[in-house]
Amino acid sequence: NSCVSDKGIHFVYTHNGGIKYALSRPDGSIIKQDKVIENEGAGCTLPNVVSINSEVYAIYIKNNTINVAKSTDLGDNWNTGYSSYNLINTNCNALVTLLEDDHVHITWSENRTSWGTDVHYVGFYYNNSTKWNYYKRVTDVESAGGEMPAIALSQDRVHISYKTSSLFAKTRDMYRSNNTWQSSS
């Protein structure tokens, strides 16, 4: 996964169950590479990255939780215990993040307790390691659940898109004014 900031292009990637970080210039020249966030064999998957000023946040799955590692020096050193959020069930197969102002929108899909998968959403406020808000099982309106989530933003809504098990593309929106969810469409 990658993101762009005024510091360059940030990359996070898995390597033998660990997570590493790299930073490059827009022309592709490497500033730093192979900075270890989590050691090999740690059981990490689905890394994402967002960056604000000189802070970098790696967001990934480990031990059935969404983990947030924080670096305040552009990836040279990492606090891997910065924050975490327990998954609802197991077997997360997709994790998508999107930075906006003071928080990160996070959506993921994982197995249901019986059959199928569900798409979930939560907001993480990066300046407060304990502030996770607005959790929602987005596909609670779908009898067969959903997977392959994506996030889009508009002026008054957060849009979570997904694929249903019957292969329909749907979206469900959260109104920013009161954090309520509308029906899927």
Side-chain angles (χ1 to χ4, degrees), residues 57 82-83 102 124-132:
Y57 297 86
Y82 182 68
S83 191
D102 63 346
F124 171 64
Y125 289 76
Y126 56 82
N127 284 329
N128 181 342
S129 66
T130 62
K131 193 168 181 184
W132 296 80

Side-chain angles (χ1 to χ4, degrees), residues 61-126:
I61 303 297
K62 179 182 176 185
N63 296 331
N64 215 44
T65 61
I66 299 171
N67 287 273
V68 179
K70 178 180 179 179
S71 172
T72 57
D73 55 8
L74 288 174
D76 285 329
N77 298 288
W78 290 91
N79 174 0
T80 57
Y82 182 68
S83 191
S84 64
Y85 188 86
N86 290 330
L87 294 176
I88 307 310
N89 293 314
T90 59
N91 296 326
C92 180
N93 61 17
L95 179 71
V96 179
T97 61
L98 181 62
L99 174 67
E100 180 186 30
D101 300 328
D102 63 346
H103 63 286
V104 180
H105 300 277
I106 302 172
T107 186
W108 71 96
S109 61
E110 60 180 294
N111 286 352
R112 285 181 164 180
T113 53
S114 55
W115 62 273
T117 55
D118 268 321
V119 171
H120 305 267
Y121 167 86
V122 72
F124 171 64
Y125 289 76
Y126 56 82

Side-chain angles (χ1 to χ4, degrees), residues 8-9 11 22-33:
I9 304 169
F11 300 91
L23 179 64
S24 75
R25 291 183 180 84
D27 66 6
S29 59
I30 296 171
I31 299 171
K32 36 182 104 169
Q33 65 181 356

